[in-house]
Amino acid sequence: MSKSLFYFAKMRRKLKNRELGRIDAKAYKELQKMPIILVLDNIRSLNNIGSLFRTADGMRIQGIYLCGITACPPHRDIQKTALGATDSVPWKYFDSTLEAMKELKSNGYKLIALEQVEGAVMLNDYMPSEQTQLAVIVGNEVKGVDDEVVNGVDLCIEIPQFGTKHSFNVTISAGIVLWDFCSKIGFDKFV
């Protein structure tokens, strides 16, 4: 930073962890959650899985469904990025994403795949209802959401992108969608 910019910049102090008013995992479990389940369809990276747990905790969603080759906690590499979120966010494992979808559908969830397909709705054009339970399905880092899964969902959402690459990392994509859905539903209703 140049001297002139530094001179006019307002000095800010970073907050200490104890000043953030964070709750512990036990108290977190008692809180009302956003009506969203995050479904991981064959996510291969343990670091991505951990990051998705941490994002789920930050958005205070109902839980995570781990499907197929997606690893389950406890695992050192998941913990490294989850930073304890595997203790606060409920999770369940399924042998296949189709099995998870069947359970979610029978419990009244709207199934939404985050995937670039014909007829996908752009994220900025989709308005979730706070009365609707949502299951957001994110896919494998290389292959995306499995074709059979895509053909079984209620809706596909796509994040508008304007650069040279055709996709974001799965953790970034899930974070964008979860934040968007939660802000549209209304954070104030659940905090």
Side-chain angles (χ1 to χ4, degrees):
M1 188 184 285
S2 72
K3 286 183 181 180
S4 60
L5 282 176
F6 181 74
Y7 179 77
F8 293 107
K10 180 178 178 180
M11 297 304 294
R12 293 181 179 86
R13 179 184 65 83
K14 286 185 181 180
L15 296 175
K16 307 250 185 269
N17 282 341
R18 67 178 184 279
E19 295 176 287
L20 295 175
R22 301 291 187 220
I23 57 176
D24 63 21
K26 184 178 177 184
Y28 178 93
K29 289 178 181 181
E30 302 299 319
L31 297 172
Q32 185 177 5
K33 308 293 187 298
M34 287 285 181
I36 301 170
I37 297 278
L38 181 61
V39 180
L40 310 187
D41 178 35
N42 294 299
I43 302 296
R44 64 187 173 131
S45 165
L46 299 169
N47 291 321
N48 282 341
I49 296 165
S51 292
L52 290 163
F53 266 96
R54 195 162 148 199
T55 300
D57 176 279
M59 295 294 112
R60 201 192 297 169
I61 65 171
Q62 291 175 342
I64 294 181
Y65 283 9
L66 308 166
C67 304
I69 67 165
T70 307
C72 298
H75 191 285
R76 180 179 52 112
D77 288 335
I78 292 174
Q79 298 305 99
K80 184 169 42 175
T81 51
L83 298 178
T86 56
D87 297 328
S88 57
V89 177
W91 60 271
K92 189 172 182 180
Y93 176 77
F94 293 85
D95 287 330
S96 76
T97 305
L98 295 174
E99 183 184 328
M101 291 167 61
K102 187 175 182 180
E103 178 179 300
L104 288 160
K105 200 66 169 165
S106 71
N107 289 322
Y109 282 82
K110 182 173 188 169
L111 304 177
I112 300 173
L114 178 55
E115 191 57 84
Q116 298 166 322
V117 299
E118 291 178 347
V121 175
M122 290 297 158
L123 178 61
N124 50 306
D125 293 331
Y126 180 68
M127 181 58 75
S129 164
E130 69 180 85
Q131 290 82 27
T132 304
Q133 297 182 108
L134 305 172
V136 177
I137 304 167
V138 295
N140 179 276
E141 294 89 341
V142 175
K143 299 176 183 177
V145 177
D146 184 84
D147 290 343
E148 203 172 357
V149 171
V150 166
N151 289 324
V153 299
D154 299 305
L155 176 71
C156 287
I157 294 286
E158 182 178 342
I159 300 170
Q161 298 173 55
F162 309 101
T164 61
K165 301 303 174 198
H166 68 279
S167 68
F168 294 116
N169 174 279
V170 66
T171 61
I172 299 299
S173 296
I176 290 168
V177 170
L178 291 175
W179 190 91
D180 181 80
F181 284 7
C182 291
S183 67
K184 287 174 179 174
I185 291 169
F187 286 110
D188 58 324
K189 295 174 183 74
F190 297 91
V191 275

